[in-house]
Amino acid sequence: MTTQTLVLPGEELSNDILPVPLDSSHPLKLGPGLRHISPSTIIPTVAGLLFIDQKKNAIWVESNSGRYIPQVNDVVVATVHHSSTDVFHCAITPQTTFAQLPHLAFEGVSKKTRPQLSSGSLVYAKVTSASKHMDPEITCCNPSTGKSDGMGELKEGMVFEVSLGIARRLLLAKQRDEGGLVILEEIAEKIPFEVAVGRNGKVWVNSKGVKEILLVGKALQETDKQGLNIDEQKKLVKRLLKSI
């Protein structure tokens, strides 16, 4: 169960709204938009909705404004800028330094079979290291298993910009129940497509044709900008489908 509360920067969170862990051995997990001040004070660093997940004992703030700051375990859509001896240097956002993607951080590759990614290539990757004092590091495979887990080079398709808030909602396991989103579910009933959502506000879409790709991208962006509810999302999809 996830609850939402509006918070402002610097406003100390009361203990009344913090999740009560089901297992006392599991520490409270702080996500983006929150800062811990020792010993037990938690304050938001941005204005937005405070999301509280009781089951996972986690809290975070969603804000449609501000810029993306890489966090460990975030999935991102990144653009290869250039390559050096052992790593690809990838752009996550215009504001952050290039993320380092090792040539061998792909499923089943070796020095002889490492991918040949040119400038402008897109990858779906996970942040493995993030620090104010060092360049972020990303990977296209699970370090534990060596499997891609859906990550890797994104071929063809188009990338669309969305707010950080809706990007996080699109990544929720239950988009309808937890994020109030049915836009992709509604389109998928009529049009086959692929999508890769980056926590950095970039969504890669691929389908059988350009019209279909643009429809998915436009539906996401209109839902985002207009703050459409579930019924409004369904109406939007019906309207857009009539145009193709």
Side-chain angles (χ1 to χ4, degrees):
M1 178 64 180
T2 304
T3 59
Q4 306 171 22
T5 306
L6 180 64
V7 294
L8 299 173
E11 184 180 77
E12 182 178 344
L13 302 184
S14 69
N15 292 330
D16 295 338
I17 65 173
L18 297 179
V20 178
L22 299 177
D23 185 341
S24 59
S25 65
H26 291 172
L28 178 64
K29 298 176 183 177
L30 298 187
L34 293 171
R35 179 187 176 194
H36 172 246
I37 300 177
S38 185
S40 59
T41 300
I42 300 174
I43 62 170
T45 56
V46 295
L49 288 176
L50 177 71
F51 277 69
I52 303 170
D53 191 323
Q54 298 283 352
K55 185 176 180 180
K56 297 180 179 179
N57 195 30
I59 56 175
W60 67 91
V61 176
E62 280 189 8
S63 174
N64 284 344
S65 60
R67 63 185 187 183
Y68 171 70
I69 300 174
Q71 303 280 336
V72 173
N73 290 327
D74 279 357
V75 285
V76 295
V77 175
T79 304
V80 175
H81 184 270
H82 66 280
S83 178
S84 58
T85 304
D86 297 312
V87 301
F88 297 108
H89 300 268
C90 304
I92 298 177
T93 72
Q95 298 84 15
T96 57
T97 58
F98 291 134
Q100 296 187 11
L101 172 61
H103 290 170
L104 300 182
F106 294 80
E107 181 179 354
V109 302
S110 65
K111 289 185 178 180
K112 293 184 179 181
T113 62
R114 60 188 181 184
Q116 302 298 313
L117 301 180
S118 58
S119 176
S121 296
L122 297 171
V123 292
Y124 195 44
K126 178 175 287 188
V127 178
T128 56
S129 176
S131 167
K132 292 182 179 179
H133 310 293
M134 298 179 65
D135 293 339
E137 294 181 10
I138 57 178
T139 181
C140 286
C141 68
N142 186 321
S144 301
T145 64
K147 300 297 184 181
S148 67
D149 290 349
M151 296 179 286
E153 183 180 7
L154 299 173
K155 300 179 180 180
E156 303 178 336
M158 297 181 187
V159 174
F160 298 88
E161 301 277 348
V162 297
S163 70
L164 301 185
I166 199 171
R168 176 174 280 276
R169 290 163 62 196
L170 287 167
L171 287 166
L172 293 171
K174 299 178 181 178
Q175 290 184 20
R176 177 193 289 263
D177 297 336
E178 299 179 354
L181 294 173
V182 296
I183 193 73
L184 295 181
E185 177 184 320
E186 290 292 310
I187 297 173
E189 291 181 0
K190 302 294 182 181
I191 297 175
F193 64 89
E194 297 176 272
V195 65
V197 180
R199 186 65 185 86
N200 55 332
K202 298 181 184 296
V203 180
W204 171 84
V205 180
N206 194 22
S207 188
K208 59 184 180 181
V210 174
K211 288 184 178 180
E212 289 78 9
I213 294 173
L214 291 174
L215 182 148
V216 177
K218 185 175 182 180
L220 285 171
Q221 291 181 329
E222 284 198 27
T223 298
D224 186 16
K225 292 177 181 178
Q226 298 178 27
L228 302 183
N229 60 34
I230 288 179
D231 289 337
E232 291 169 335
Q233 291 171 46
K234 291 180 178 181
K235 291 178 182 178
L236 172 62
V237 171
K238 290 181 179 180
R239 174 169 61 82
L240 292 175
L241 286 172
K242 291 180 180 178
S243 65
I244 63 171

